Amino acid sequence: MSPNNPNRPHPLSQLFEAEFQRARDIIVGIHRPDTSLFFRSIYAKEPDKASLVPFLEVEHAATLTEDTERPPRLAHVEYDIVRLTEHEHIRSVVNLETEQVVSSDSAENLSKPSFTQPEFMLFQDVCLHADMFKEAMAEFTLPDGFSITIDPWPYGGPDELDSPRYMQGLVFARDSSHNNPDANHYAYPIPIIPVLDWVTKKLVRVDRLATGGAEDGLQPHPRSEAPKVLLERNKSADYVPELLDRPLRQDLKPIHISQPEGASFSVHSDGLVEWQKWRFRLSFTPREGAVLHDICYDNRPILYRLSYSELTVPYGDPRPPYHRKQAFDFGDGGAGRAANSLELGYDCLGAIYYLDSFIAAADGSPTPAKSVVCLHEQDNGILWKHTNYRTSRGVVARLRELVVQFVVTLANYEYIFAFKLDLAGGITIETRATGIMSVVPIDEGKSSRYGNVVAPGILAQNHQHIFAVRIDPAVDSYRTGDTQVVVEETHGRKMEPRTNPHGNYYEVQRRVVERAQWIDSEPRLNRILRLENSTKKNEFSGRNVGYKVVAPATQLMLADEESILAKRALFAKHDFWVTGYRDGEFWAAGEFTNQSREEKGGVGDMVARGDWFSSLEPDDGGTQGEAAQRAGHVVWSVFGFTHNPRVEDWPVMPVEIHQMHLRPADFFSSNPALDVPSARNNMSVLVPCCDNGVAKQESNVGAAQGDPLSHLQGTGPDASLQEAGANVK
Amino acid sequence: MSPNNPNRPHPLSQLFEAEFQRARDIIVGIHRPDTSLFFRSIYAKEPDKASLVPFLEVEHAATLTEDTERPPRLAHVEYDIVRLTEHEHIRSVVNLETEQVVSSDSAENLSKPSFTQPEFMLFQDVCLHADMFKEAMAEFTLPDGFSITIDPWPYGGPDELDSPRYMQGLVFARDSSHNNPDANHYAYPIPIIPVLDWVTKKLVRVDRLATGGAEDGLQPHPRSEAPKVLLERNKSADYVPELLDRPLRQDLKPIHISQPEGASFSVHSDGLVEWQKWRFRLSFTPREGAVLHDICYDNRPILYRLSYSELTVPYGDPRPPYHRKQAFDFGDGGAGRAANSLELGYDCLGAIYYLDSFIAAADGSPTPAKSVVCLHEQDNGILWKHTNYRTSRGVVARLRELVVQFVVTLANYEYIFAFKLDLAGGITIETRATGIMSVVPIDEGKSSRYGNVVAPGILAQNHQHIFAVRIDPAVDSYRTGDTQVVVEETHGRKMEPRTNPHGNYYEVQRRVVERAQWIDSEPRLNRILRLENSTKKNEFSGRNVGYKVVAPATQLMLADEESILAKRALFAKHDFWVTGYRDGEFWAAGEFTNQSREEKGGVGDMVARGDWFSSLEPDDGGTQGEAAQRAGHVVWSVFGFTHNPRVEDWPVMPVEIHQMHLRPADFFSSNPALDVPSARNNMSVLVPCCDNGVAKQESNVGAAQGDPLSHLQGTGPDASLQEAGANVK
């Protein structure tokens, strides 16, 4: 039996369709036939690290056989038992080999499960049929030919201590006069927010919204003084080409990116990806989207797991109920569930592999999620170059990247998440924010300190996007005790006759992270984190082999630390968190973010439990130390966009881009990309200077050959070298 | 006569060959025939802003005629009058129309001119023939078949108050046994530094270098105790493919980037570049390399001039004379003079225009500098996307950039400088550092706190690269008094019942820069600079039209502020400087950096003169205020790489990349890229999953069509939309 036998998938593979179905059937089978079940998610439950590592070590030693012990194949199944007045939310683990339910628990009453697409889809219908909603809308007159469109939102952090499962919605009008379902309804916001009781499927209230300017206070206009006729001055804000308010530009000539010999990477059906000495396993979860496992270079492990963990979007408009505009796009809904099906020729260019996955339908059946991740190679400019100025010979290697990308749509907004591996052993984690801003109405002629008026009647509120990336290291070893995290800083030093007589000395300082903690960026000190193997030394430098984490400092959570917004997103307060590893602990803001009032089980709690990593017991009696030392570290990198909107962000915003980098630091014995050929791209062509009748300044350049100084200014290989053959350059 | 008539070049065009020659001839003509002249540089002297602006206004109004008054065509000529014991350094301005010398001055004795390539080339020969050098080398035995190679360096900041013109050199051995002139000599450093008196062309001394470890103090080993046989354990560090210590990788399949319909941009012989609503004028100077002038979008000016201004590289090794390892790569030598001649298919891909220029030979004749700048378009991923989750229809535009790139080689090291204009009105200024680190010898088996041992016997010292970019704004107007610079910060606010009851409010604060000053980055406050036109408002937001400067915070000068290294590079102490505009004031560290002991005429002095920008006179009697208010602002953006070397940076380092951005902020009335077609790239192909015999998880994906939920997960346009025609997507 081959190690790739479909009956024994790789332990890190996402669920195959038959496994998905089996997991669903096992759960259905343990309930009475008349029980009403609502499935939320089904995905592979990853093996415990302790049980997987021995398998990985055998796998990488290329000694895998059918007898190799491997962890059982498990599925995580989350579902509700639907009852009239409450739904019981169950999380089960199913063993797909024994077909047994291994564990099952009922989530606490106060923890609200994340929403699924069928739930979001239901919201608009409920509103449109509700008397309470019709009454609220009766206050307004809409222009002819407009219809109502409602964007469901999570309820945010409730003011009440003990609120039922709620959902709220932002209400818009859509110009349906030209019968185009893609007319942009965000151009026409309506100042009400309906609130739904998720269990009873009834509206509990409709909040009215303040629409005034800076001087109008926090409360909505009294009903008697509020504008009755809405949207009169609003302008369409369409982005689909057939409705655009301007012609498409015709003068952008195509750039073709092609790989005539095919891609340099390969993907196996169990998720194994191989490219240029890199190998990793790719999976996809409903909450995280793409996840990279067991990332190795030249068969040396670097990371055990790499994923986006959370994203919170708090809004800065103080007028109630806008303080409840705070989404957790991973915890409240799920980035994987919201992933776009990508299309050839739009989202990635070149030779592209698309990963398919499955999402649980309400009845638990595997719904295909087609092309939710794309993999392709791209050229990112020069990787390294040196020109010998004495001979004018230059050698250039290009920076090729393998990009693993997925795009999520969260109602109005889009994120583009990408993991990029490169030829020099680097990993870049790139986040792009685009889509349509969440806007609200503002009275004609007014302006606001809470945001920017990006079009007549449209206030784009100030807000933040704060992300957490989870980095689970395995630096040149799967033995988690070998890894250490080091904070490195670079400090200037005062002039001093004995050690620094001319004042130019500066000092690189290291501090091993001894216990779980947060760490803030400090660009003035060039503070970075190093992930090192404390037992393996670089053969030349003698220093620990390692990778460094390089991330630009960004503004983090602005909300008052006493606010519910800040309390439910403690992770968003610091740039880095280093915590003790625990199996299944993937969530920076905790497992349950939907309608939370505080972060539970997130990085704050992980740090608070006092894990320590050194072999020495801390003075203050950390209790979890031994386990953490054995289990290793997890590093969480947090970064934010403070988005104070520009008019240019309307109606669909150009991408804001953030990049962070993992770069080898004494992991290799030299530049690992030194063997990348300096190959000439033969498709490149010259663009001529385009006007005639003018003295060309280049006319005399040919004369350079005879000039004794000409070799000083150029990289051109001289004739004798060029004749030496194809591999000279 | 056309405005493009070659006899009347555009005032911002670089010198045509005939003009260059004329400038040289005019200077030669004013000296007696027996005067020995050594030319340093000849380039177009840009018109004063006050005289150019009226011309630009007429040009952009498309009302240019042959009668339009235009500033005189001038050349800047720098040369030495060579005398036996001293060289007089002259800077002249020549009127190319009247053929008169307009101005001429003799630089101060203490200001050393920047070096030219002929001077650098002379250094090795002088050393090899000098007895003093031979004596110093006699201390060592080199391996058989090795010869000496010397890299000339500027002398850095001298210890002596009044030193003559010096040049120093780093000495290496080159393995010449295989007769390959591109064998990498940096693998074999020799611990001496010869110092040349530039006027007498004689060595004044040879400094011996410390080669010990952390414990060995700052002084070189006494001659009696120093290792005599060098380089025994050193390893070759070759990067040219025929000498590489490993085979080139064969499995990187080509990526072809082609533009079958040609480029979307056009370049005119007078430097005008037009691309996608952008237009600017491109020139090239021996000190700055590529310079962009009069950058406009849709005929609205944004920047008057954009350029790199300076770069200093101080080393952190306190052992004398390493404190004098501090290059100013623009001021000491010149980035333009050091620019590579770029080659088709290596440095840029696609359809490429190469700009040629001229550099002054020693006799003043125009030496062609071929292909010193490349222009090309590139695809940089997704520019904007939105998917309507109700219809599954996604619209995607790609981020096309026009890249203006040049690459400079400074002995061992390379920089890749690029200005990138994009479809959304943004300008990215990207800097890549690559090449070979400047390394020194270290005794066998030792390590050092001053750097990293990247190969046996090779210490790569800790150092910094600190850059200054000069931004001369003209925001929607050439009237400099209209521009204002605003510091914008975003502040969290405490919870407070009346204005911030839930604690989520945050405040965007603005401060107009009233007088010349430095400004430091503060990521925690999201501090950015805005360049605004105070007289023009965005039609929707009512705010000043503007651009924002977004640059990540980086570590700046670490050397003690009392050190010569810090004093001669005051610019490197702060992230931003805002100064009052003066014609010809292009240099962040002053005009003369070579062998300087303090920054003169740099941003520090510009701030110290007390320019103020508001119409109100400051209390403390700023004296230059009126002029500055009329003349406008210059913004200098400073950023650094602290380079504590990795073993992976050897022998040629993978690029370190820094980007800063200028982004429109209420400059336009909506996303300016909304009219970019969402065109499918037809060259994209599918990569299949590559192993067989395994149950394909994608096998059932076709079933999605029948699934009522399938439209929730995808962006695929549904069939009816696809049939609607080519411009649907």
Side-chain angles (χ1 to χ4, degrees):
Chain A
M1 190 185 281
S2 127
N4 276 331
N5 186 295
N7 297 322
R8 303 191 68 186
H10 190 279
L12 289 170
S13 159
Q14 58 174 350
L15 293 184
F16 286 77
E17 185 173 16
E19 294 178 311
F20 196 115
Q21 186 69 47
R22 197 181 316 148
R24 181 255 182 206
D25 292 345
I26 293 166
I27 292 296
V28 170
I30 63 167
H31 290 286
R32 288 172 36 169
D34 60 346
T35 312
S36 178
L37 301 183
F38 179 88
F39 283 84
R40 298 192 166 275
S41 58
I42 299 178
Y43 56 91
K45 181 176 162 57
E46 293 169 28
D48 290 351
K49 197 184 263 196
S51 65
L52 182 60
V53 159
F55 175 86
L56 293 180
E57 289 176 331
V58 171
E59 182 189 7
H60 285 279
T63 54
L64 212 57
T65 69
E66 69 181 287
D67 299 327
T68 302
E69 196 174 342
R70 56 176 68 201
R73 190 73 173 150
L74 304 176
H76 175 100
V77 184
E78 215 173 315
Y79 61 102
D80 283 7
I81 299 173
V82 179
R83 299 197 186 92
L84 208 57
T85 55
E86 55 148 17
H87 295 191
E88 191 182 358
H89 175 220
I90 311 282
R91 294 171 303 172
S92 287
V93 176
V94 171
N95 184 319
L96 295 168
E97 294 161 5
T98 63
E99 307 207 347
Q100 300 290 309
V101 174
V102 176
S103 73
S104 186
D105 64 27
S106 181
E108 282 180 69
N109 195 32
L110 286 179
S111 298
K112 308 294 188 290
S114 60
F115 288 117
T116 64
Q117 294 288 11
E119 291 170 292
F120 280 131
M121 292 306 281
L122 191 134
F123 187 79
Q124 173 164 321
D125 265 359
V126 171
C127 287
L128 292 183
H129 292 96
D131 290 340
M132 194 182 283
F133 184 80
K134 290 177 193 165
E135 264 167 48
M137 279 303 299
E139 183 178 344
F140 313 112
T141 305
L142 297 187
D144 281 350
F146 279 66
S147 54
I148 301 293
T149 297
I150 307 178
D151 271 19
W153 268 62
Y155 188 68
D159 304 336
E160 317 82 31
L161 256 181
D162 186 9
S163 54
R165 288 195 206 174
Y166 282 150
M167 191 184 267
Q168 64 182 338
L170 303 189
V171 182
F172 302 88
R174 187 169 62 77
D175 183 351
S176 40
S177 62
H178 35 52
N179 204 24
N180 186 321
D182 290 302
N184 184 2
H185 60 276
Y186 299 106
Y188 305 104
I190 295 172
I192 55 173
I193 288 184
V195 177
L196 177 84
D197 182 312
W198 188 90
V199 173
T200 65
K201 304 284 186 293
K202 298 222 178 302
L203 290 193
V204 294
R205 64 175 199 274
V206 178
D207 292 335
R208 296 175 71 250
L209 303 177
T211 59
E215 64 291 356
D216 290 320
L218 302 187
Q219 296 308 315
H221 296 297
R223 199 173 274 258
S224 57
E225 296 167 21
K228 301 289 177 265
V229 182
L230 292 179
L231 314 174
E232 282 189 308
R233 288 188 60 243
N234 289 37
K235 289 159 49 95
S236 66
D238 288 304
Y239 60 91
V240 294
E242 70 274 21
L243 297 178
L244 207 59
D245 62 358
R246 63 201 87 170
L248 288 176
R249 39 180 109 179
Q250 302 296 326
D251 55 348
L252 195 61
K253 297 188 179 161
I255 289 183
H256 283 173
I257 296 173
S258 60
Q259 297 197 261
E261 298 173 24
S264 315
F265 63 92
S266 62
V267 186
H268 302 250
S269 63
D270 59 353
L272 178 66
V273 180
E274 294 176 296
W275 178 73
Q276 293 295 307
K277 305 184 187 177
W278 288 99
R279 62 172 274 170
F280 62 91
R281 288 186 184 273
L282 177 63
S283 75
F284 187 85
T285 77
R287 183 153 169 170
E288 300 156 291
V291 177
L292 277 63
H293 307 264
D294 191 22
I295 303 177
C296 299
Y297 190 99
D298 247 349
N299 215 32
R300 295 167 67 190
I302 297 164
L303 299 181
Y304 185 79
R305 193 180 195 276
L306 178 63
S307 57
Y308 282 87
S309 173
E310 194 50 271
L311 158 58
T312 188
V313 187
Y315 281 73
D317 189 332
R319 298 172 298 175
Y322 289 138
H323 63 290
R324 281 192 284 92
K325 271 184 85 171
Q326 182 189 19
F328 286 76
D329 288 321
F330 286 60
D332 290 358
R337 287 191 188 95
N340 287 191
S341 281
L342 303 172
E343 280 189 276
L344 192 64
Y346 291 102
D347 300 283
C348 314
L349 304 184
I352 302 139
Y353 174 83
Y354 291 99
L355 179 78
D356 297 330
S357 190
F358 294 96
I359 297 279
D363 68 356
S365 59
T367 305
K370 192 163 163 51
S371 301
V372 284
V373 181
C374 61
L375 275 75
H376 74 294
E377 292 173 89
Q378 70 184 22
D379 177 273
N380 184 15
I382 294 175
L383 168 55
W384 57 263
K385 178 170 189 178
H386 182 58
T387 299
N388 183 347
Y389 75 88
R390 293 172 178 80
T391 65
S392 297
R393 180 172 173 196
V395 182
V396 191
R398 306 280 313 174
L399 178 46
R400 184 78 64 93
E401 297 172 325
L402 177 68
V403 183
V404 179
Q405 176 176 284
F406 62 110
V407 182
V408 307
T409 295
L410 300 148
N412 53 293
Y413 213 65
E414 266 76 15
Y415 298 98
I416 302 160
F417 298 113
F419 304 98
K420 302 181 180 182
L421 312 182
D422 68 44
L423 294 179
I427 302 173
T428 295
I429 299 151
E430 182 186 276
T431 308
R432 296 183 181 215
T434 179
I436 301 178
M437 296 182 293
S438 176
V439 297
V440 297
I442 184 167
D443 301 341
E444 182 175 337
K446 292 189 173 168
S447 63
S448 176
R449 70 170 70 93
Y450 311 137
N452 200 8
V453 178
V454 295
I458 301 289
L459 179 68
Q461 296 159 311
N462 296 335
H463 60 283
Q464 298 188 278
H465 309 255
I466 307 174
F467 302 81
V469 168
R470 183 180 181 278
I471 301 167
D472 184 347
V475 182
D476 213 9
S477 164
Y478 295 103
R479 291 185 302 277
T480 51
D482 293 350
T483 298
Q484 67 181 18
V485 178
V486 174
V487 179
E488 183 184 282
E489 296 175 353
T490 303
H491 290 258
R493 281 282 161 252
K494 292 310 286 179
M495 210 179 307
E496 190 275 313
R498 201 177 49 82
T499 59
N500 189 20
H502 296 282
N504 63 314
Y505 174 54
Y506 69 79
E507 191 170 276
V508 181
Q509 298 182 354
R510 291 164 51 86
R511 174 176 68 80
V512 175
V513 174
E514 299 272 359
R515 63 188 311 163
Q517 63 193 254
W518 51 260
I519 295 158
D520 278 335
S521 293
E522 187 39 82
R524 301 254 164 250
L525 300 178
N526 202 41
R527 186 181 289 158
I528 56 170
L529 297 191
R530 298 173 72 104
L531 316 176
E532 297 183 350
N533 186 313
S534 61
T535 71
K536 297 194 180 176
K537 307 296 174 193
N538 183 283
E539 62 171 317
F540 298 129
S541 72
R543 297 179 180 178
N544 292 331
V545 300
Y547 262 69
K548 57 182 179 180
V549 182
V550 183
T554 60
Q555 188 168 46
L556 298 179
M557 179 64 82
L558 284 164
D560 186 339
E561 61 185 358
E562 295 303 318
S563 69
I564 289 173
L565 294 90
K567 285 181 176 169
R568 63 199 296 250
L570 292 181
F571 81 94
K573 195 72 185 165
H574 297 291
D575 298 292
F576 294 100
W577 301 77
V578 182
T579 65
Y581 176 89
R582 296 292 188 281
D583 287 315
E585 214 170 54
F586 297 135
W587 316 121
E591 182 177 359
F592 296 107
T593 59
N594 198 0
Q595 232 168 299
S596 65
R597 286 172 49 90
E598 57 185 350
E599 185 184 293
K600 279 190 186 162
V603 288
D605 286 342
M606 297 176 207
V607 161
R609 74 188 162 216
D611 289 348
W612 50 282
F613 306 115
S614 84
S615 50
L616 299 171
E617 194 149 352
D619 294 342
D620 57 352
T623 52
Q624 307 281 341
E626 204 186 341
Q629 193 200 338
R630 278 202 315 270
H633 313 65
V634 175
V635 175
W636 312 74
S637 179
V638 178
F639 56 91
F641 295 119
T642 293
H643 190 180
N644 303 332
R646 309 174 297 159
V647 171
E648 287 83 358
D649 295 332
W650 185 252
V652 184
M653 68 176 272
V655 285
E656 284 277 345
I657 304 179
H658 175 277
Q659 291 189 331
M660 54 170 291
H661 306 277
L662 293 164
R663 305 195 85 201
D666 294 12
F667 190 82
F668 297 104
S669 297
S670 68
N671 177 352
L674 206 62
D675 60 351
V676 173
S678 177
R680 178 174 182 143
N681 186 299
N682 292 317
M683 301 295 284
S684 295
V685 296
L686 281 178
V687 174
C689 186
C690 61
D691 54 351
N692 298 315
V694 181
K696 287 289 183 69
Q697 64 191 75
E698 51 269 79
S699 60
N700 262 2
V701 163
Q705 300 302 334
D707 188 299
L709 289 176
S710 69
H711 65 288
L712 296 182
Q713 283 105 15
T715 65
D718 67 42
S720 64
L721 286 170
Q722 261 175 339
E723 282 161 20
N727 75 343
V728 163
K729 177 110 184 197
Chain B
M1 189 186 280
S2 125
N4 276 330
N5 185 295
N7 296 321
R8 304 190 67 186
H10 190 279
L12 289 169
S13 158
Q14 58 174 350
L15 293 184
F16 285 76
E17 186 174 16
E19 295 178 311
F20 196 114
Q21 185 70 44
R22 197 180 317 147
R24 181 255 181 206
D25 292 345
I26 294 166
I27 292 296
V28 169
I30 62 166
H31 290 285
R32 289 171 35 167
D34 61 345
T35 312
S36 179
L37 301 182
F38 179 87
F39 282 83
R40 298 193 165 276
S41 58
I42 298 178
Y43 56 91
K45 179 172 165 57
E46 294 170 27
D48 290 353
K49 197 183 264 195
S51 65
L52 183 60
V53 158
F55 176 85
L56 294 179
E57 287 176 331
V58 172
E59 181 190 6
H60 286 280
T63 55
L64 213 55
T65 69
E66 68 181 286
D67 300 325
T68 302
E69 197 175 343
R70 58 177 67 199
R73 189 75 173 150
L74 305 176
H76 175 100
V77 184
E78 217 174 311
Y79 61 102
D80 284 7
I81 300 173
V82 179
R83 301 198 185 92
L84 207 59
T85 54
E86 56 150 13
H87 295 191
E88 191 181 357
H89 175 219
I90 312 280
R91 294 171 302 172
S92 288
V93 175
V94 171
N95 184 319
L96 295 168
E97 294 162 5
T98 63
E99 307 209 346
Q100 299 290 309
V101 175
V102 175
S103 73
S104 185
D105 64 29
S106 181
E108 280 182 72
N109 195 31
L110 286 178
S111 298
K112 308 294 190 289
S114 60
F115 288 118
T116 64
Q117 294 288 10
E119 292 170 292
F120 280 132
M121 293 305 281
L122 191 134
F123 187 79
Q124 173 164 322
D125 264 1
V126 172
C127 287
L128 292 182
H129 291 97
D131 290 340
M132 195 183 282
F133 184 80
K134 289 177 194 165
E135 265 168 45
M137 280 302 299
E139 183 179 344
F140 313 113
T141 305
L142 297 187
D144 282 350
F146 278 66
S147 53
I148 301 294
T149 297
I150 307 178
D151 271 19
W153 267 63
Y155 188 67
D159 304 336
E160 316 82 30
L161 257 180
D162 185 9
S163 53
R165 288 195 206 175
Y166 282 150
M167 191 185 266
Q168 63 182 337
L170 304 188
V171 182
F172 302 88
R174 187 171 62 78
D175 182 352
S176 41
S177 62
H178 35 53
N179 204 22
N180 186 320
D182 289 303
N184 184 2
H185 59 278
Y186 299 106
Y188 306 102
I190 295 172
I192 56 173
I193 288 184
V195 176
L196 177 83
D197 181 311
W198 187 91
V199 173
T200 65
K201 303 285 186 292
K202 298 222 177 304
L203 289 193
V204 295
R205 64 176 200 273
V206 178
D207 291 336
R208 297 175 70 251
L209 302 177
T211 59
E215 63 290 356
D216 289 320
L218 301 187
Q219 297 309 315
H221 296 297
R223 199 174 273 259
S224 58
E225 294 167 23
K228 301 288 177 267
V229 183
L230 291 180
L231 314 174
E232 284 188 308
R233 286 187 61 242
N234 288 37
K235 290 160 48 96
S236 67
D238 287 306
Y239 59 91
V240 293
E242 69 274 21
L243 297 178
L244 207 61
D245 62 359
R246 62 200 87 170
L248 288 175
R249 40 180 107 181
Q250 301 297 326
D251 55 348
L252 194 61
K253 297 189 179 161
I255 289 184
H256 283 174
I257 297 173
S258 60
Q259 296 197 261
E261 299 173 24
S264 316
F265 64 92
S266 62
V267 186
H268 302 250
S269 63
D270 60 352
L272 178 66
V273 181
E274 294 177 296
W275 178 73
Q276 294 295 307
K277 304 183 189 178
W278 288 98
R279 61 172 274 170
F280 61 92
R281 289 188 182 269
L282 177 63
S283 74
F284 186 85
T285 77
R287 182 153 167 170
E288 299 156 291
V291 177
L292 278 63
H293 307 264
D294 192 22
I295 304 177
C296 299
Y297 190 99
D298 247 349
N299 216 30
R300 296 167 67 192
I302 297 164
L303 300 181
Y304 184 79
R305 193 182 196 274
L306 178 63
S307 58
Y308 283 86
S309 174
E310 195 48 272
L311 157 58
T312 189
V313 187
Y315 282 72
D317 189 332
R319 298 173 299 175
Y322 289 138
H323 63 291
R324 282 192 284 94
K325 271 183 85 171
Q326 181 188 21
F328 286 76
D329 288 321
F330 286 60
D332 291 357
R337 288 192 187 95
N340 288 190
S341 280
L342 303 172
E343 281 189 276
L344 192 65
Y346 292 102
D347 299 283
C348 313
L349 305 184
I352 302 139
Y353 174 82
Y354 290 99
L355 179 76
D356 298 330
S357 191
F358 294 97
I359 297 280
D363 67 357
S365 60
T367 304
K370 194 165 162 49
S371 300
V372 284
V373 181
C374 61
L375 274 77
H376 75 293
E377 294 173 88
Q378 70 184 20
D379 177 274
N380 184 15
I382 294 175
L383 169 55
W384 57 263
K385 178 171 189 178
H386 182 59
T387 300
N388 183 347
Y389 76 87
R390 292 171 179 82
T391 64
S392 297
R393 179 172 174 195
V395 181
V396 191
R398 306 279 313 175
L399 178 45
R400 184 79 64 94
E401 296 172 326
L402 176 69
V403 184
V404 179
Q405 177 176 284
F406 62 109
V407 181
V408 307
T409 294
L410 300 149
N412 53 292
Y413 213 66
E414 266 77 16
Y415 298 97
I416 301 160
F417 298 112
F419 303 98
K420 301 181 181 182
L421 312 182
D422 68 44
L423 294 179
I427 301 174
T428 295
I429 299 152
E430 182 186 276
T431 308
R432 297 183 180 214
T434 178
I436 301 180
M437 296 182 293
S438 176
V439 297
V440 297
I442 185 168
D443 302 340
E444 183 176 336
K446 293 190 171 166
S447 62
S448 175
R449 72 170 70 93
Y450 311 137
N452 200 9
V453 178
V454 295
I458 301 288
L459 179 69
Q461 295 160 311
N462 297 335
H463 61 282
Q464 298 188 278
H465 308 255
I466 307 174
F467 303 80
V469 168
R470 182 179 180 278
I471 302 167
D472 184 347
V475 182
D476 212 9
S477 164
Y478 295 103
R479 290 186 303 277
T480 51
D482 293 350
T483 298
Q484 67 181 17
V485 177
V486 174
V487 178
E488 184 185 282
E489 297 176 352
T490 304
H491 290 259
R493 281 282 161 251
K494 293 308 289 179
M495 210 179 306
E496 189 278 313
R498 202 177 48 83
T499 60
N500 188 19
H502 296 282
N504 62 314
Y505 174 52
Y506 70 78
E507 192 170 276
V508 181
Q509 298 182 354
R510 290 164 52 86
R511 174 176 68 80
V512 175
V513 174
E514 299 272 359
R515 64 188 309 162
Q517 62 193 257
W518 51 261
I519 294 157
D520 278 335
S521 293
E522 186 39 84
R524 302 254 163 251
L525 299 178
N526 202 42
R527 185 181 290 158
I528 57 169
L529 296 192
R530 298 174 72 104
L531 315 176
E532 298 184 348
N533 186 314
S534 62
T535 70
K536 297 196 180 174
K537 308 295 174 193
N538 183 283
E539 63 171 318
F540 298 129
S541 72
R543 297 179 180 179
N544 292 331
V545 300
Y547 262 70
K548 57 183 179 179
V549 183
V550 183
T554 59
Q555 189 169 46
L556 298 180
M557 179 64 81
L558 285 164
D560 186 339
E561 61 186 359
E562 295 302 318
S563 69
I564 289 173
L565 295 89
K567 285 181 176 170
R568 62 199 298 250
L570 292 180
F571 82 93
K573 193 73 185 168
H574 297 292
D575 298 292
F576 294 100
W577 299 78
V578 182
T579 64
Y581 176 89
R582 297 291 188 283
D583 287 314
E585 214 171 53
F586 297 136
W587 317 121
E591 182 178 359
F592 295 107
T593 59
N594 197 1
Q595 232 168 300
S596 66
R597 287 172 48 91
E598 58 184 350
E599 186 183 292
K600 279 190 185 161
V603 289
D605 286 342
M606 297 177 208
V607 162
R609 73 187 164 216
D611 289 348
W612 50 282
F613 306 112
S614 83
S615 51
L616 299 171
E617 194 150 352
D619 294 343
D620 56 353
T623 51
Q624 307 282 342
E626 204 186 339
Q629 192 200 339
R630 279 203 314 272
H633 312 66
V634 175
V635 174
W636 312 74
S637 179
V638 178
F639 56 91
F641 296 119
T642 294
H643 189 181
N644 302 332
R646 310 174 296 159
V647 172
E648 287 82 358
D649 295 332
W650 186 252
V652 185
M653 70 176 271
V655 285
E656 284 278 345
I657 303 178
H658 175 276
Q659 289 189 334
M660 55 169 290
H661 306 276
L662 292 164
R663 306 195 85 201
D666 293 13
F667 189 83
F668 297 104
S669 298
S670 67
N671 177 352
L674 206 61
D675 59 351
V676 173
S678 177
R680 178 175 183 142
N681 186 300
N682 293 315
M683 300 297 282
S684 295
V685 297
L686 282 178
V687 174
C689 185
C690 62
D691 55 349
N692 298 315
V694 180
K696 288 288 182 72
Q697 66 193 74
E698 51 269 77
S699 59
N700 263 2
V701 163
Q705 301 303 335
D707 189 300
L709 290 177
S710 68
H711 64 291
L712 296 183
Q713 282 106 13
T715 65
D718 67 42
S720 63
L721 286 170
Q722 262 175 336
E723 282 160 19
N727 77 343
V728 162
K729 178 115 184 194

